[in-house]
Amino acid sequence: MYSDAKAVSDIFKAFCDENRIRILHILMDGEKCACRLLEGMNITQPTLSHHMKILCDSGIVSGRKEGKWMYYSISDEGLKKAQAYLDYLKTKGAGE
C-alpha cells in the first residue's frame, strides 16, 4: 500500500518547516490568496513560492489560479493520505 516512498516523504517534508506550518495555520481559516499569506508572514514572495510548491507537491495544499493571483487551501484528500500513512505505521508498529 505504501510502496511509494517518494510520495510519503513529500507529504512529511511539507510538515518539517516552521514557515510551512505557519502557512497551514493561516489556511486553517479557509482559502487565501498568496498576497494574504505574504501579509501574515515575514518572508519574500520567492520564499513563499518555494514553500507553496512544496506544500502543493505534497498534496497537503491545493492551489488555483484566478486572474493573476493564486489562491491556496488545505486539501482534505492530502490530509487523509498523511493520516492514513500514520495509521498504517501505528498498526504495523503495534504488530497487528
Side-chain angles (χ1 to χ4, degrees):
M1 178 178 185
Y2 293 102
S3 61
D4 189 353
K6 172 75 170 113
V8 173
S9 67
D10 285 348
I11 289 170
F12 291 99
K13 179 179 180 181
F15 293 111
C16 66
D17 181 88
E18 291 176 34
N19 285 318
R20 291 192 286 274
I21 297 301
R22 287 185 186 106
I23 291 166
L24 291 172
H25 279 271
I26 293 169
L27 293 176
M28 287 172 61
D29 292 333
E31 183 181 71
K32 300 283 185 293
C33 175
C35 60
R36 296 290 175 240
L37 292 173
L38 277 173
E39 289 173 1
M41 303 187 65
N42 189 26
I43 59 175
T44 64
Q45 189 279 325
T47 301
L48 177 65
S49 291
H50 167 76
H51 290 304
M52 297 316 297
K53 178 172 180 10
I54 291 170
L55 287 165
C56 289
D57 286 352
S58 73
I60 299 299
V61 170
S62 58
R64 67 177 182 86
K65 190 168 179 107
E66 187 174 304
K68 66 177 185 169
W69 298 107
M70 283 297 294
Y71 290 83
Y72 297 99
S73 58
I74 293 175
S75 166
D76 288 338
E77 186 63 32
L79 292 179
K80 286 177 189 174
K81 286 180 183 179
Q83 185 63 55
Y85 187 71
L86 290 172
D87 291 344
Y88 172 78
L89 287 177
K90 182 179 176 184
T91 301
K92 293 299 179 186
E96 296 177 19

